[in-house]
Amino acid sequence: MARIEIDGELHTVQDGNNLLSTCLSLGLDLPYFCWHPALGSAGACRQCAILQYRDADDQQGHLVMACMTPVQDGMRIALTAQQARQFRRDNIELLMTNHPHYCPVCEEGGECHLQDMTLLTGHTMRRFRGQKRTHDNQYLGPFINHEMNRCIACYRCVRFYNDYAGSDDLQVFGIHNNVYFGRFEDGALQSEFSGNLVEVCPTGVFTDKTFSAHYARKWDLQTAPSVCVHCSLGCNVAPGERYGELRRIVNRYHGEVNGYLLCDRGRFGYDFVNSPKRIRKLHIAGQASCSVTMATDKFHTMLQAADGVIGIASPRASLEANFALRALVGEDNFFLGLDDSEHTLLNAIHEVMRDGGIHSPSLQEIEQADAILILGEDVTHSAPRMALSLRQAARNAAFALASKLHIQPWQDAAVRELRKQAPTPVFIASICSTRLDDIATNTWHGGPEDLARLGFAIAHNLNDAAPLPAALNEDQQALAANIARALRQAQRPLIVSGTSCSSLAVIQAAYNIARALPESAPQLAFTLPECNSLGMAIMGGKPLQQAFAAMNQGLADSVVILENDIYRRASTQQVDAFLETARHVVVIDSLQNNTTEKAALLLATATFAESEGTLVNNEGRAQRYFPVYPVTDPVRASWQWLLSVMTDSPWAHHDDLTSACAGAFPELATIVAAAPGADYTVEGCKIPRQPQRYSGRTAMHANIAVSEPGQPSDQETPFTFSMEGTTAKVPPAVLPVIWAPGWDSNQAINKFQEETGGSLRAGDPGIRLFEASGTQSWFNDIPPAFQAQPGVWKVIMLPHIFGSEELSLQSPAIAERCPAVCALLHPLDAETLAISDCDTVAIRDPSGTLIMNMPIRIEKTLPPGLLGLATGRPELQPLQSGMLVCLHKSDPLATDVSEERS
Amino acid sequence: MKPALGDATDIIGILASVIIVAAMLIWVERRLLALWQDRLGPNRVGPLGLMQVMADMIKMFFKEDWIPPFADRWVFVLAPCIVFITMLTGFAVIPFAPGVGIIDFNFGLLYFLALTSLSVYSIVLAGYASNNKYALLGGLRGAAQTVSYEVFMGISIMGVVMLSGSFNLREIVEAQRDGWFIGPQFLGFLIFLIAVVAESRRAPLDLPEAEQELVAGFHTEYSGMKFGMFFVGEYLGITLSSAIIVTLFFGGWLGPWLPPLVWFCLKTAIGIIFFILLRGALPRPRYDQLMTFGWKFLLPAGLLNLLATGAVVLALHG
Amino acid sequence: MLSQLRSLWEVLKHTFVKADTIEYPEQRRELFPRYRGRIILTRDPDGEERCVACNLCAVVCPPDCIALQKTEDENGRWYPEFFRINFSRCILCGLCEEACPTHAIQLTPDFDMGEYDRQNMVYEKQHLLIDGTGKYHDYNFYRIAGMAIGGKTKGQAENEKPPVDVKTLLP
């Protein structure tokens, strides 16, 4: 700790930080542009100038840049000194000579860091009478708008895009006043994290294109705390609504999980909520219209008449909704609705996390790892935000070296210079090349069996007690020894694995490695398929195939399907047979899909933006999300539909359901504490979802009826759909909007943190359900090496950030970025088949039946004998991971994939 | 002398005309205030806006007769009746013209004083029954103000009584055949004028109402016809006060050429207009100023007037 | 005391002063152009909508009676998709006019807008938009703003340099 004097007041602050960060942590207002807590200091914008005094007698002082000056014990500085204030004001005035004065037509207006800082410094009039420099804009894809005139050349965008996120297609061009931040030529930004430019850019150069298409000012957006539903990481987001439509997603800071950044799937995937495929009406087969009473009556009679009801749960529905279904159908009839292999993998992962005694790290902890092994995952595509954290972890050796050389960690440019001299050991063993290969010290590619075998070999190298795979070749042995050595030397080694390659052996190998690591705290992170996959595994239930069997055996004749397109989980024939056998099919879902088409009773349900619930992320953290805006009749939340037909239900409210769920499962006992309940108030008021400046209250519905309706009431959460109340002192789990007086942009977050970049005041939201305990025995089930058979290819599913996830695929912007459906093939295989890139092959099952035709892309890194396909694409439903297929070069005209199905 | 009661046509005629005059005063006051404030006033309903009174009455009649749940119900209803009744019965002793009047008896002047004092009960009870802090404050002010100014009012007209030697109002009028008492009793007139304004709680001495401070003072909680009774009671008060001033100081019905009744009405009308002018021109004093002015100035002045008049009367007739 | 009498006299003298009242609606007063009455949306000198849907009028409105939605034409020019004023809530304070950065929203001297049906007090864009420039004849926001719109590319606004050639090597 150091004691420093700021403007005559003594403060005790952390050592080793820079003054800007320190001042912001103390709650002082100091303007800045190029500094960003995630990016460190650059010292480029000269905006955070302060006066530093030599000693107690110095009255003159000298200007220093706060972001480049380390805290020293006993130092005296002044923020409010006239000289420093004048310097900052002059600096802004210079920045503003070329900045356009058209904030009214800028999407950033109203949440602009430049606006905030300009007001903070007091610059009000442009005195410069010269001409403004202009720039042409570029097309940057469906996510991001480009308006270079607004640039103040702080370099944050390229520092984030290149240095932090590791992509290189956004660059800086030109010199002096003409510097240009853009691509070499027009085209979509290639980074999976390009959306963060919207928040990283302090002004409106990069803005959210999807938001611009239905734009509303920040002060007009109704918001509530929410959790991203597009992957298993549970990033905290703040969705914004206006006029009954979800308008955008911005990051909601979480010190342990997502920090300041989101991935593009999370940021731009929200539009499925407004999709034309949304189910907004109830439907009873054979009837023209259906009211809520009719639907509940029908549901009720169906349940009464049924001879056994099967409930199929969903990993994309909340714990509460699933629990309500479980209560409705009974434990014996509760099926998880996952395909068999996923079910097995999730159970294995759950057991390892619960009893394995290995710590499951948060993303923040992942960033601290100093040796990393990624086994069988393309993290950028299966859990994108984690890839960004891994990329930061890859700098840890450089940080360690910097510390030895007495370079402060926030000295961004200096530390990055050390990167080449001190590479962090990062090993990626995956099916084919990944987006993280550039940070890897070594990469290795193989089929799932080979990846598992490599993993077992590493474990054996670390600990002789671990089983050794038979018949390893020398390369593999050497590599395993090499990786084992690096992991052993590390202080905080990290193993990343997951469900992507559908292999139990890979997960078991990953656990063996973590277990084999010596005392140093090993960490094991799994990526999971969906937002509540782990919650489902904890809750437990039977596999989907058993549901099919139960129906066939006549143990049940009706089925209630909760938010689950089971056509994605099993083969079409099986599901068709299942749904046709069932006397009653009740489907509760929000988007039209193959399953909803088969429903005898279709109940429209709310999405994450309109309902509440608890999700468990991959690290085992239970987090609550809240409705951003009320549902429109007749849509209801899933749990409400389910409770409405439970005649003797003791639960009236969502909180009752949460407590009941916590009571029913010891592992979920603490989920009640994930966020305050509906009775929580601040100074006697509920928490407002609408900002203080929310506009149009008396006109927005006036076209329907001039008499204003009352605000919809919310009995289920601590929030209200109005402007009444205060958000200044609410705990982070229920903080709806990040705003502080004078800080309209999202960077107001520094007013809510313990220290900049640290955890939120009153604790980061969510409750961790597991802490490392117990130990499991070694897994011995080592698969034989994969042998490619001539003429037969094994289908392997590869996730992609855009397209693999069911809901986000319905967002137009994400759909636009989806890669064209094609199959990956090793060059040797292509040669055997005498095809080249973009040729079409016919995929047949071994009996010779045509499954579909598909264009081929040749992928050097894919092991021979494998056919790589994108996970989760509806077009590829007939193909499942692990299937064996034959390939033939096909007629080049028959390229249309969809027509060739069946 | 035995009190003489007027005949039935007199009684009904006077009662009706007094009430109509009081009602029409609503219109007259608004038109006159508008005139002095360079406006037009009510001019839309009927010719010259004369039917405005009717419109107002219709409105009042059809308003919900609401009694606040926290009020003392019966007293609340009683209060406006008191002011209305006392003011109306006050007209009984007014000598409109020789032979025109309801009752003629020796203590007419005392009767008038007694009735104006009774009317304060209306204010006090209204303020009390409303169970509202503004109403109570208004009622308290009303009580103090009326009790105080009653004293000077009584004293100020003793000069007139001395000069005429009677409490009978008709005799007082007759006593002015040689000259109105406004001359010899100018000081008494001034004190009486001020006191009578205070007694009738008219602006500028409308402290019990004092909209700017007390919402509407004692009648804050009143609406509909009960408010209407306070309202009409106030105008009855003005009319009564003018009539009594005319009787005591301006020779009542006396005057050349015109019939006595016309003279009386004319003089009373001028008196009423003067009351309205007072409202239109003068600001309201502070409450403490009002009380100080009463006790420290008007009381000594009244006593002085009494002393001087007594001395002169003694000197001339003794 | 004398001042009181003087007041009485001064007021009494007004008996002979002509009333200032204008008997609306038979007589109508000539109102100043800056009178704050019914709100309109104007067009720029080129006949295009001036409103850029920036929402500043809506946020400054004390009774929150303005609601609008931004949209863009194919060339990136912002305009309101709908623009609604609930005049049954409007207090004609004129803050929207002050907040408007493009002189689009203006208050007019027309103030008598009574309706028997309250619903008719809700004005949509087609009711608000006029075909003229209103009080400010020459102002055109997009001629000054450096945003590219149809018919005007970068560098063609007032006081702007032509776009920088990023690929030049000249200093």
Side-chain angles (χ1 to χ4, degrees):
Chain A
M1 301 301 268
R3 285 175 67 75
I4 62 171
E5 186 189 317
I6 305 173
D7 291 327
E9 274 186 52
L10 279 174
H11 296 273
T12 309
V13 299
Q14 288 283 346
D15 277 325
N17 219 334
N18 59 63
L19 283 174
L20 172 60
S21 172
T22 303
C23 288
L24 293 174
S25 298
L26 290 169
L28 305 171
D29 286 340
L30 185 57
Y32 62 89
F33 291 112
C34 68
W35 177 82
H36 185 286
L39 301 177
S41 303
C45 71
R46 320 308 284 171
Q47 190 56 56
C48 59
I50 55 167
L51 218 52
Q52 183 184 0
Y53 301 101
R54 268 197 319 280
D55 48 44
D57 303 327
D58 186 5
Q59 297 302 314
Q60 198 71 31
H62 58 282
L63 282 170
V64 294
M65 297 306 132
C67 71
M68 299 303 280
T69 313
V71 167
Q72 284 160 4
D73 196 27
M75 77 192 307
R76 272 179 71 215
I77 57 169
L79 268 55
T80 52
Q82 173 58 28
Q83 208 182 336
R85 291 217 323 255
Q86 189 62 45
F87 182 92
R88 298 198 294 256
R89 183 181 301 185
D90 292 348
N91 194 46
I92 282 265
E93 185 166 13
L94 290 171
L95 290 178
M96 295 298 286
T97 53
N98 284 323
H99 189 81
H101 284 49
Y102 60 54
C103 299
V105 290
C106 174
E107 288 93 340
E108 195 84 355
E111 52 178 325
C112 176
H113 189 63
L114 180 59
Q115 275 181 346
D116 290 350
M117 297 300 110
T118 307
L119 285 173
L120 191 59
T121 52
H123 166 68
T124 49
M125 279 295 291
R126 183 176 189 261
R127 289 184 293 171
F128 178 64
R129 289 282 162 256
Q131 293 186 314
K132 288 189 178 184
R133 70 98 175 95
T134 61
H135 280 295
D136 285 324
N137 301 333
Q138 284 182 327
Y139 169 78
L140 296 180
F143 297 151
I144 302 287
N145 267 332
H146 194 219
E147 178 54 72
M148 258 309 290
N149 280 5
R150 299 170 188 160
C151 183
I152 56 166
C154 72
Y155 281 70
R156 260 197 202 178
C157 54
V158 285
R159 287 175 61 216
F160 166 75
Y161 200 87
N162 299 344
D163 299 350
Y164 194 94
S167 295
D168 55 6
D169 58 317
L170 182 82
Q171 287 294 353
V172 51
F173 303 96
I175 47 171
H176 58 82
N177 228 6
N178 295 341
V179 287
Y180 186 87
F181 299 88
R183 284 169 55 87
F184 184 70
E185 54 188 7
D186 283 17
L189 288 171
Q190 292 305 301
S191 172
E192 292 78 7
F193 307 96
S194 61
N196 293 305
L197 290 173
V198 174
E199 285 181 62
V200 165
C201 176
T203 166
V205 177
F206 302 99
T207 50
D208 184 338
K209 199 177 246 182
T210 64
F211 182 37
S212 184
H214 42 216
Y215 181 70
R217 297 275 175 210
K218 180 180 179 181
W219 64 68
D220 280 342
L221 290 172
Q222 184 161 251
T223 55
S226 195
V227 176
C228 181
V229 294
H230 299 301
C231 86
S232 61
L233 296 179
C235 295
N236 285 206
V237 293
E241 175 264 359
R242 179 80 175 162
Y243 302 133
E245 188 186 1
L246 189 61
R247 294 298 175 92
R248 68 150 176 198
I249 296 267
V250 285
N251 180 59
R252 185 164 66 92
Y253 182 86
H254 190 295
E256 286 292 315
V257 184
N258 46 309
Y260 293 88
L261 305 161
L262 293 177
C263 72
D264 285 358
R265 188 204 276 174
R267 189 181 293 269
F268 302 112
Y270 68 90
D271 233 359
F272 76 91
V273 174
N274 311 318
S275 157
K277 286 176 124 177
R278 258 312 280 282
I279 301 166
R280 297 186 192 274
K281 288 202 180 86
L282 310 176
H283 179 68
I284 298 176
Q287 287 188 17
S289 66
C290 174
S291 70
V292 173
T293 354
M294 280 165 74
T296 39
D297 287 350
K298 176 84 178 168
F299 196 177
H300 205 254
T301 17
M302 277 182 171
L303 291 172
Q304 296 292 316
D307 187 13
V309 183
I310 285 174
I312 294 183
S314 165
R316 60 174 160 90
S318 67
L319 284 177
E320 286 85 353
N322 282 307
F323 179 72
L325 178 67
R326 187 174 179 273
L328 180 72
V329 299
E331 196 184 338
D332 293 337
N333 285 329
F334 184 67
F335 297 86
L336 285 195
L338 307 170
D339 73 48
D340 270 11
S341 95
E342 190 181 330
H343 194 100
T344 324
L345 297 180
L346 280 179
N347 278 341
I349 288 174
H350 172 223
E351 271 170 40
V352 162
M353 287 179 76
R354 188 186 54 198
D355 304 326
I358 309 285
H359 180 67
S360 77
S362 67
L363 293 185
Q364 175 60 31
E365 287 166 320
I366 286 177
E367 283 188 24
Q368 308 306 320
D370 56 355
I372 300 164
L373 169 65
I374 301 171
L375 194 63
E377 277 295 318
D378 187 352
V379 183
T380 313
H381 290 304
S382 58
R385 179 61 184 81
M386 189 192 278
L388 209 49
S389 293
L390 290 168
R391 196 172 280 282
Q392 306 323 304
R395 297 180 61 207
N396 280 331
F399 282 120
L401 179 59
S403 159
K404 253 184 235 159
L405 297 171
H406 304 292
I407 300 172
Q408 307 279 7
W410 40 264
Q411 288 281 12
D412 194 49
V415 178
R416 285 194 192 279
E417 281 300 310
L418 299 174
R419 172 74 196 283
K420 295 248 159 47
Q421 297 173 37
T424 311
V426 178
F427 301 99
I428 302 179
S430 59
I431 290 168
C432 61
S433 66
T434 72
R435 292 280 282 160
L436 283 176
D437 286 355
D438 59 313
I439 58 161
T441 39
N442 210 337
T443 61
W444 190 81
H445 307 296
E449 296 86 350
D450 298 315
L451 294 174
R453 287 165 62 80
L454 177 70
F456 282 114
I458 297 167
H460 178 78
N461 265 294
L462 287 164
N463 187 332
D464 288 339
L468 173 70
L472 274 181
N473 64 33
E474 273 179 29
D475 285 353
Q476 278 169 307
Q477 279 175 6
L479 180 65
N482 188 10
I483 296 173
R485 194 177 322 113
L487 290 175
R488 190 184 292 116
Q489 283 166 359
Q491 304 292 315
R492 296 174 301 278
L494 167 71
I495 319 297
V496 179
S497 186
T499 55
S500 294
C501 52
S502 299
S503 164
L504 185 61
V506 166
I507 287 161
Q508 293 175 336
Y511 173 71
N512 270 14
I513 301 169
R515 198 191 153 195
L517 280 168
E519 295 304 306
S520 60
Q523 305 180 102
L524 178 57
F526 290 108
T527 68
L528 308 174
E530 275 164 277
C531 59
N532 203 15
S533 290
L534 190 59
M536 285 291 83
I538 294 172
M539 196 170 272
K542 300 178 187 170
L544 188 58
Q545 292 294 337
Q546 287 185 20
F548 298 162
M551 184 67 77
N552 277 335
Q553 289 158 17
L555 297 175
D557 67 347
S558 298
V559 57
V560 180
I561 301 173
L562 171 69
E563 299 188 41
N564 200 336
D565 179 9
I566 55 173
Y567 280 92
R568 288 171 71 91
R569 316 281 181 180
S571 74
T572 313
Q573 296 85 340
Q574 267 187 316
V575 178
D576 277 344
F578 173 64
L579 295 179
E580 272 156 29
T581 321
R583 240 172 77 214
H584 306 299
V585 179
V586 182
V587 179
I588 305 174
D589 214 335
S590 54
L591 287 176
Q592 286 163 14
N593 55 39
N594 293 337
T595 309
T596 60
E597 278 169 26
K598 296 288 168 73
L601 171 61
L602 178 58
L603 300 174
T605 188
T607 61
F608 78 102
E610 302 137 336
S611 66
E612 53 285 279
T614 312
L615 301 175
V616 183
N617 78 350
N618 73 320
E619 112 187 66
R621 181 185 295 269
Q623 302 187 101
R624 185 87 33 85
Y625 61 93
F626 296 98
V628 179
Y629 57 106
V631 287
T632 43
D633 234 28
V635 182
R636 299 271 187 281
S638 299
W639 64 269
Q640 283 170 322
W641 282 123
L642 292 164
L643 286 197
S644 71
V645 289
M646 289 163 70
T647 40
D648 50 351
S649 156
W651 313 308
H653 292 289
H654 189 260
D655 284 349
D656 304 337
L657 208 49
T658 312
S659 332
C661 184
F665 303 97
E667 283 176 78
L668 298 176
T670 49
I671 59 167
V672 176
D679 52 357
Y680 180 82
T681 54
V682 181
E683 290 166 8
C685 281
K686 291 192 134 204
I687 303 163
R689 285 180 172 89
Q690 299 166 355
Q692 291 162 325
R693 297 173 186 159
Y694 196 72
S695 80
R697 192 171 39 87
T698 63
M700 56 204 300
H701 304 297
N703 56 330
I704 304 158
V706 70
S707 336
E708 287 135 30
Q711 298 290 0
S713 76
D714 187 348
Q715 310 286 321
E716 309 300 337
T717 74
F719 295 94
T720 152
F721 295 107
S722 84
M723 303 151 73
E724 287 170 75
T726 171
T727 58
K729 294 215 164 71
V730 301
V734 285
L735 179 65
V737 67
I738 293 163
W739 179 89
W743 293 75
D744 288 332
S745 81
N746 225 3
Q747 304 194 32
I749 192 66
N750 66 52
K751 302 287 180 196
F752 296 90
Q753 292 164 322
E754 297 278 3
E755 53 173 342
T756 54
S759 55
L760 290 164
R761 251 177 249 148
D764 285 316
I767 294 280
R768 271 178 68 97
L769 301 176
F770 310 103
E771 291 308 332
S773 70
T775 178
Q776 277 193 324
S777 51
W778 299 106
F779 289 109
N780 295 318
D781 209 0
I782 304 174
F786 174 67
Q787 296 292 331
Q789 299 163 35
V792 177
W793 279 264
K794 186 176 163 189
V795 171
I796 190 94
M797 288 297 187
L798 303 169
H800 195 278
I801 179 168
F802 306 125
S804 289
E805 197 265 334
E806 185 184 354
L807 299 176
S808 61
L809 188 57
Q810 302 304 327
S811 298
I814 297 277
E816 195 179 330
R817 284 296 309 277
C818 274
V821 172
C822 67
L824 304 187
L825 210 56
H826 188 267
L828 286 176
D829 290 339
E831 208 172 292
T832 324
L833 290 166
I835 52 173
S836 52
D837 231 4
C838 301
D839 279 354
T840 305
V841 291
I843 303 177
R844 295 172 194 277
D845 68 7
S847 64
T849 325
L850 178 72
I851 302 172
M852 63 176 70
N853 286 310
M854 185 165 305
I856 288 290
R857 195 162 62 89
I858 292 172
E859 172 62 50
K860 288 198 297 273
T861 56
L862 188 77
L866 295 181
L867 181 72
L869 292 165
T871 314
R873 299 294 288 268
E875 304 91 326
L876 301 178
Q877 208 121 45
L879 294 163
Q880 277 152 11
S881 193
M883 222 167 139
L884 294 176
V885 293
C886 303
L887 298 180
H888 302 281
K889 188 173 180 179
S890 76
D891 177 11
L893 290 175
T895 48
D896 195 325
V897 177
S898 53
E899 276 180 18
E900 290 294 323
R901 284 174 65 175
S902 82
Chain B
M1 196 177 95
K2 186 174 157 284
L5 198 66
D7 58 20
T9 45
D10 268 12
I11 296 174
I12 292 169
I14 289 170
L15 195 67
S17 49
V18 158
I19 291 180
I20 289 170
V21 164
M24 290 312 293
L25 276 183
I26 299 174
W27 174 82
V28 171
E29 174 160 37
R30 289 174 66 181
R31 287 294 291 208
L32 280 177
L33 286 176
L35 178 72
W36 290 322
Q37 292 167 358
D38 298 349
R39 299 184 283 114
L40 289 180
N43 67 342
R44 291 282 160 148
V45 193
L48 293 174
L50 272 167
M51 298 305 280
Q52 186 67 39
V53 180
M54 284 304 293
D56 283 357
M57 270 165 64
I58 291 169
K59 182 188 81 173
M60 292 241 186
F61 275 120
F62 286 95
K63 273 206 169 175
E64 186 188 355
D65 186 31
W66 192 71
I67 297 170
F70 45 81
D72 187 334
R73 199 177 168 79
W74 297 113
V75 183
F76 190 81
V77 176
L78 185 66
C81 302
I82 292 176
V83 69
F84 195 71
I85 292 168
T86 50
M87 285 304 170
L88 213 51
T89 42
F91 281 100
V93 291
I94 301 296
F96 289 90
V100 182
I102 295 172
I103 196 166
D104 175 19
F105 74 128
N106 283 345
F107 300 103
L109 192 54
L110 289 182
Y111 174 82
F112 163 78
L113 287 175
L115 281 176
T116 48
S117 313
L118 268 181
S119 75
V120 75
Y121 280 98
S122 155
I123 314 298
V124 176
L125 291 179
Y128 155 76
S130 295
N131 201 2
N132 164 317
K133 57 187 168 198
Y134 295 116
L136 187 63
L137 278 172
L140 285 174
R141 283 186 180 188
Q145 178 177 329
T146 316
V147 168
S148 306
Y149 275 75
E150 217 167 66
V151 177
F152 329 130
M153 185 156 87
I155 290 169
S156 65
I157 51 175
M158 284 309 120
V160 172
V161 174
M162 278 183 200
L163 289 179
S164 62
S166 171
F167 278 108
N168 185 317
L169 291 171
R170 285 179 187 277
E171 286 175 17
I172 291 174
V173 173
E174 286 300 333
Q176 296 181 66
R177 283 217 177 263
D178 302 332
W180 295 351
F181 288 153
I182 176 77
Q185 280 299 313
F186 189 70
L187 187 58
F189 164 70
L190 282 182
I191 297 169
F192 184 74
L193 182 69
I194 295 170
V196 105
V197 173
E199 281 284 276
S200 59
R201 297 165 300 277
R202 281 282 301 174
L205 303 182
D206 58 342
L207 280 98
E209 251 181 74
E211 302 83 342
Q212 290 84 347
E213 311 151 38
L214 298 183
V215 189
F218 62 93
H219 63 66
T220 302
E221 298 289 352
Y222 283 87
S223 64
M225 246 347 265
K226 289 199 283 297
F227 168 73
M229 277 154 95
F230 276 122
F231 206 48
V232 174
E234 185 181 325
Y235 286 109
L236 284 174
I238 298 172
T239 318
L240 182 61
S241 305
S242 301
I244 212 80
I245 288 171
V246 166
T247 307
L248 295 182
F249 296 101
F250 291 95
W253 65 75
L254 298 175
W257 310 307
L258 295 171
L261 186 62
V262 174
W263 268 119
F264 185 85
C265 292
L266 210 61
K267 288 176 187 174
T268 308
I270 291 168
I272 291 170
I273 290 169
F274 182 72
F275 267 96
I276 295 169
L277 180 63
L278 274 182
R279 177 184 168 183
L282 297 184
R284 184 189 304 129
R286 232 165 47 213
Y287 183 65
D288 62 317
Q289 288 172 338
L290 179 79
M291 297 310 273
T292 314
F293 181 69
W295 289 105
K296 291 193 178 163
F297 179 75
L298 290 185
L299 182 65
L303 289 173
L304 201 66
N305 178 46
L306 193 60
L307 211 62
T309 314
V312 169
V313 169
L314 267 181
L316 289 181
H317 302 282
Chain C
M1 197 63 179
L2 270 177
S3 77
Q4 311 274 314
L5 293 175
R6 195 169 155 270
S7 306
L8 285 173
W9 176 243
E10 290 294 333
V11 171
L12 196 60
K13 279 203 301 192
H14 275 267
T15 314
F16 307 103
V17 175
K18 195 172 173 292
D20 289 334
T21 310
I22 291 168
E23 293 208 60
Y24 177 85
E26 293 86 7
Q27 289 172 298
R28 283 174 167 277
R29 184 167 182 172
E30 190 69 19
L31 292 174
F32 295 100
R34 295 179 59 137
Y35 189 83
R36 300 197 309 255
R38 181 170 57 87
I39 298 169
I40 53 162
L41 290 174
T42 59
R43 291 176 184 275
D44 65 24
D46 302 338
E48 301 284 339
E49 273 177 60
R50 262 185 182 150
C51 177
V52 298
C54 70
N55 269 296
L56 290 179
C57 51
V59 72
V60 81
C61 178
D64 281 346
C65 73
I66 304 179
L68 67 151
Q69 172 60 50
K70 169 248 167 182
T71 188
E72 275 176 29
D73 72 5
E74 63 278 15
N75 295 312
R77 184 188 171 108
W78 286 31
Y79 70 97
E81 183 183 343
F82 69 81
F83 196 108
R84 185 181 308 130
I85 300 183
N86 180 353
F87 276 108
S88 72
R89 282 287 190 179
C90 179
I91 56 172
L92 302 174
C93 64
L95 286 180
C96 50
E97 183 174 9
E98 280 189 42
C100 184
T102 67
H103 291 319
I105 197 163
Q106 297 181 11
L107 274 71
T108 62
D110 174 19
F111 59 88
D112 37 4
M113 2 175 10
E115 293 280 354
Y116 285 103
D117 182 1
R118 246 181 97 198
Q119 191 63 47
N120 294 340
M121 299 289 282
V122 179
Y123 282 43
E124 296 287 344
K125 190 166 93 175
Q126 69 263 32
H127 309 126
L128 297 166
L129 193 62
I130 64 160
D131 280 341
T133 55
K135 285 174 265 187
Y136 310 94
H137 302 299
D138 302 325
Y139 185 73
N140 186 334
F141 176 77
Y142 279 109
R143 273 188 213 150
I144 291 158
M147 196 183 213
I149 53 158
K152 188 200 87 175
T153 56
K154 288 291 184 72
Q156 292 183 346
E158 281 170 24
N159 226 11
E160 271 190 352
K161 289 182 198 157
V164 169
D165 178 7
V166 180
K167 291 170 184 166
T168 180
L169 290 174
L170 295 172

